[in-house]
Amino acid sequence: MSSSPWEPATLRRVFVVGVGMTKFVKPGAENSRDYPDLAEEAGKKALADAQIPYSAVDQACVGYVFGVAECVLALGFEKMSKGSLGIKFSDRTIPTDKHVDLLINKYGLSAHPVAPQMFGYAGKEHMEKYGTKIEHFAKIGWKNHKHSVNNPYSQFQDEYSLDEVMASKEVFDFLTILQCCPTSDGAAAAILASEAFLQKYGLQSKAVEILAQEMMTDLPSSFEEKSIIKMVGFDMSKEAARKCYEKSGLTPNDIDVIELHDCFSTNELLTYEALGLCPEGQGATLVDRGDNTYGGKWVINPSGGLISKGHPLGATGGHSCS
């Protein structure tokens, strides 16, 4: 039997007791700061929000770590190059080689950045299969920019009309710049604690319990079915959601607020369906009903999402929690 005074990690409840983040800024901007400053601000804000000293933290982690601890500081940060993501190394296989091969074999590859092509073609596949319109994706961009005006940490805090979203600079095909996430510099942090730690520091009133979480990677169907929708992650998102619902005992109807990965407006609509918010192929109907914003069934990406808030890769997961 373990001599630890704490329960085994597999049986313990875990809570988020503090969060912190920096404002996300355009890479190379005059107010851009270096890694240590970004990490320090996010970490200190998370500690201040939790109202605990750094000395109470057992571990501080960047990235995915599994450890036995009572209080953990999880922190992510990123400084990015200006412009769209590109290939950084030419002397090794890129992690998305299978994804690119599928795209090339089905549609070819143009000189546009690869990511917008992937998610643009996923959107076109959805339109061809289910009758979704360009306006449905644009409405998601419009909604997220509208939400961003209330978030002081968002890289962009401007509201636009639907016409302005659709008429903004083309990135790829129907995907305009106001429907695509920008590259960003920034950091985000969260303090996670056990139930025993909550009681020790009197944090019960501010703790948010993590009822379920899942990690998934590409499935065979991501490539075997030659579907761009599946290639960009539909099936693995659907399976992760299924496992979370099963583990927590909850359904989509029990949820009020959702932060999801809207790297492009198309991916947000696809994720509505993967999360089971509506049947497959009915994401456009959900958008038309206004069930993705205030006054509807769910408030989705109240932060403004990646489209407005920014996408500093190492901090993106943390800011969805913050």
Side-chain angles (χ1 to χ4, degrees):
M1 181 178 292
S2 172
S3 60
S4 169
W6 311 105
E7 302 171 62
T10 54
L11 301 178
R12 290 185 300 171
R13 299 165 71 188
V14 178
F15 303 80
V16 178
V17 295
V19 295
M21 63 185 295
T22 68
K23 180 177 178 64
F24 293 172
V25 301
K26 183 177 181 180
E30 290 184 5
N31 59 341
S32 178
R33 295 172 293 159
D34 203 358
Y35 286 123
D37 298 323
L38 294 171
E40 180 181 17
E41 180 182 340
K44 284 184 174 179
K45 283 183 174 178
L47 290 166
D49 187 45
Q51 297 179 309
I52 61 172
Y54 182 67
S55 59
V57 176
D58 293 327
Q59 296 180 0
C61 318
V62 178
Y64 177 70
V65 174
F66 182 82
V68 179
E70 296 309 309
C71 182
V72 174
L73 168 65
L75 188 152
F77 54 86
E78 199 73 66
K79 277 184 67 68
M80 301 182 70
S81 301
K82 293 181 179 180
S84 300
L85 295 177
I87 297 173
K88 298 296 183 183
F89 305 100
S90 59
D91 62 342
R92 66 202 70 175
T93 300
I94 61 172
T96 56
D97 61 331
K98 289 185 177 180
H99 305 74
V100 174
D101 285 346
L102 176 56
L103 181 66
I104 290 173
N105 291 333
K106 189 162 186 177
Y107 291 110
L109 195 66
S110 71
H112 296 84
V114 174
Q117 291 186 66
M118 289 182 176
F119 289 94
Y121 279 122
K124 295 188 76 166
E125 183 178 306
H126 201 275
M127 289 189 281
E128 293 166 1
K129 190 172 182 179
Y130 301 114
T132 307
K133 306 296 184 186
I134 291 173
E135 289 80 5
H136 292 115
F137 299 120
K139 284 180 179 179
I140 290 171
W142 166 80
K143 180 265 299 179
N144 285 351
H145 284 289
K146 185 177 180 66
H147 287 177
S148 75
V149 300
N150 299 313
N151 181 7
Y153 293 104
S154 183
Q155 183 169 335
F156 300 117
Q157 290 180 263
D158 300 309
E159 187 174 348
Y160 301 91
S161 69
L162 180 60
D163 287 340
E164 287 175 319
V165 172
M166 296 184 69
S168 60
K169 180 182 176 183
E170 177 187 317
V171 175
F172 175 71
D173 203 280
F174 66 91
L175 278 179
T176 61
I177 197 166
L178 293 178
Q179 300 177 66
C180 305
C181 66
T183 51
S184 314
D185 293 349
I191 307 290
L192 282 73
S194 68
E195 191 171 13
F197 188 92
L198 262 66
Q199 294 168 353
K200 179 179 179 180
Y201 286 89
L203 300 173
Q204 293 93 327
S205 64
K206 68 182 305 172
V208 178
E209 186 171 2
I210 300 172
L211 297 180
Q213 65 177 12
E214 290 291 336
M215 290 185 67
M216 292 292 299
T217 189
D218 293 313
L219 301 169
S221 60
S222 301
F223 307 106
E224 291 175 354
E225 298 185 24
K226 311 301 181 186
S227 164
I228 304 300
I229 289 174
K230 292 180 181 290
M231 180 264 278
V232 297
F234 184 87
D235 282 356
M236 63 179 178
S237 296
K238 182 178 179 180
E239 181 63 10
R242 184 194 66 77
K243 289 182 176 180
C244 277
Y245 293 140
E246 183 178 279
K247 185 181 292 185
S248 66
L250 301 176
T251 71
N253 291 329
D254 297 310
I255 298 169
D256 298 311
V257 180
I258 299 170
E259 282 283 337
L260 57 78
H261 193 86
D262 62 316
C263 49
F264 299 92
S265 59
T266 50
N267 199 54
E268 176 160 331
L269 187 144
L270 295 175
T271 306
Y272 296 165
E273 299 174 12
L275 293 178
L277 308 185
C278 60
E280 290 185 28
Q282 296 299 309
T285 302
L286 187 153
V287 171
D288 285 338
R289 287 198 308 259
D291 277 343
N292 58 358
T293 189
Y294 298 96
K297 193 168 184 179
W298 300 279
V299 181
I300 301 177
N301 285 334
S303 67
L306 280 63
I307 286 174
S308 297
K309 189 164 53 178
H311 190 3
L313 302 178
T316 292
H319 77 55
S320 293
C321 174
S322 303

